[in-house]
Amino acid sequence: MTKLNTTDLSIGYEKKIVVNDITVEIPAGKITSLIGPNGSGKSTFLKALARILEPAKGEVLIDNENVQRLDTKAVAQKIASLSQGSSPVSGLTVAEIVAYGRYPYQKGFSGLKEPDHQLIRWALEATNLTKLQDRTLTTLSGGQQQRVWIAMALAQDTDILILDEPITFLDPAHQLEILELLQTINRQGKTILMTIHDLNHASRFSDYLLGMKQGELLFQGPPKEIFTAEKLLNLFDIQATFATLPNSDKPIVMAYNLVKEQ
Ligand SMILES: Nc1ncnc2c1ncn2[C@@H]1O[C@H](COP(=O)(O)OP(=O)(O)OP(=O)(O)O)[C@@H](O)[C@H]1O
């Protein structure tokens, strides 16, 4: 299983550092969710892990190799990453977009081989898109489009999937559909790291949580350890009360109040 970790990682835009000195190992074979307020640096951190942004300091290591020393295709064979609100590509069909997931494995102009087609078919089936494969992306609903991007990442057949807000803009049923899909993929042996704003979904579907605020990693651990009044107050400035999900040991947030300045 591919190991992904960072050492003293700081990332910035121009000269402004927005992610500060993070040393963390993403648990292999688990689902990890990165939670934290808007603007805390979550997307920036994920982009550096996927080698989309270059660190200002420190390192991102895939199997102990600095990602900056690996070429794009080598990284893309280890990590598939989906950014926030991937923009629709006009004119391409669902199957054509999913086929792009095989790009990191193609040599020159050799084209797709049977094993590539098998993976594309599997990715379309896993995301329930087989019937929609000849439709162009722009004719699909937001939720269906989201599934297409996930299918493309699946076709990439990497050990690690990094997803920035994979369920934003989806209705409750489609949110669950995507999260259950990620759970199934995880059980097939893939490491998943995602950002998610819904705390209850984060708890229910994650083995591990990372809490980020103002570019700092405040805490990490399983949901049971993270969902305490003190930690959520610290992270989000909210007062939370908790319950437990039925038939599970996963905590959920029952209700919360804003902490208002006096
Ligand atoms: N391309 C950019 N150029 C300059 N500053 C940026 C850029 N992208 C993000 N930032 C800044 O970096 C900081 C962290 O942003 P980032 O998008 O990583 O936060 P986030 O935790 O993912 O937020 P959200 O939950 O709202 O998606 C913010 O202050 C943001 O304004």
Side-chain angles (χ1 to χ4, degrees):
M1 225 173 250
T2 305
K3 181 179 165 191
L4 178 62
N5 66 301
T6 68
T7 54
D8 305 323
L9 182 70
S10 297
I11 315 150
Y13 298 100
E14 308 289 328
K15 287 204 173 86
K16 189 168 176 259
I17 295 293
V18 299
V19 169
N20 204 2
D21 221 14
I22 292 185
T23 298
V24 70
E25 181 167 341
I26 307 306
K30 306 272 186 214
I31 299 183
T32 299
S33 288
L34 178 57
I35 57 172
N38 289 133
S40 56
K42 302 182 298 296
S43 302
T44 303
F45 179 67
L46 294 192
K47 282 183 185 147
L49 288 182
R51 218 200 62 158
I52 297 163
L53 287 176
E54 193 176 338
K57 186 174 99 34
E59 291 181 325
V60 175
L61 300 157
I62 300 178
D63 284 337
N64 301 318
E65 271 199 83
N66 186 334
V67 289
Q68 296 303 322
R69 289 194 212 113
L70 296 172
D71 66 30
T72 307
K73 277 194 175 181
V75 175
Q77 289 178 10
K78 302 275 187 184
I79 297 179
S81 89
L82 289 189
S83 305
Q84 246 178 70
S86 301
S87 52
V89 195
S90 57
L92 291 183
T93 66
V94 169
E96 284 166 343
I97 290 168
V98 176
Y100 268 102
R102 299 307 301 155
Y103 165 76
Y105 301 92
Q106 280 173 271
K107 294 192 179 78
F109 296 99
S110 60
L112 297 171
K113 304 259 172 12
E114 184 47 30
D116 298 310
H117 288 295
Q118 270 177 20
L119 272 160
I120 293 163
R121 279 198 296 272
W122 165 75
L124 287 166
E125 261 166 47
T127 49
N128 215 358
L129 286 170
T130 307
K131 286 200 182 115
L132 298 178
Q133 62 177 306
D134 296 324
R135 293 262 297 269
T136 50
L137 189 76
T138 38
T139 67
L140 302 182
S141 76
Q144 290 167 335
Q145 291 188 15
Q146 193 80 325
R147 295 212 307 265
V148 175
W149 297 120
I150 291 175
M152 185 177 81
L154 287 185
Q156 215 173 308
D157 193 29
T158 56
D159 272 2
I160 301 171
L161 265 172
I162 293 182
L163 306 125
D164 198 357
E165 299 194 20
I167 58 167
T168 307
F169 307 122
L170 301 186
D171 67 53
H174 284 106
Q175 290 187 5
L176 284 174
E177 199 177 274
I178 296 289
L179 291 168
E180 284 179 3
L181 168 64
L182 295 178
Q183 208 164 41
T184 306
I185 294 162
N186 165 254
R187 287 180 184 144
Q188 292 165 359
K190 298 199 188 281
T191 303
I192 293 179
L193 172 64
M194 61 181 165
T195 58
I196 185 164
H197 280 295
D198 185 310
L199 294 178
N200 291 336
H201 281 335
S203 171
R204 177 172 165 194
F205 288 95
S206 311
D207 304 294
Y208 206 73
L209 299 176
L210 306 175
M212 185 178 276
K213 187 176 188 180
Q214 292 176 346
E216 312 269 346
L217 192 59
L218 285 195
F219 47 69
Q220 53 180 302
K224 256 202 309 199
E225 285 174 21
I226 301 305
F227 273 29
T228 67
E230 193 192 350
K231 287 201 171 84
L232 292 192
L233 175 68
N234 202 355
L235 187 62
F236 290 110
D237 295 321
I238 55 171
Q239 282 172 340
T241 55
F242 304 94
T244 305
L245 203 67
N247 306 320
S248 147
D249 65 345
K250 290 293 184 70
I252 48 172
V253 179
M254 278 288 282
Y256 38 79
N257 291 314
L258 272 176
V259 177
K260 298 207 172 72
E261 283 179 29
Q262 298 297 317

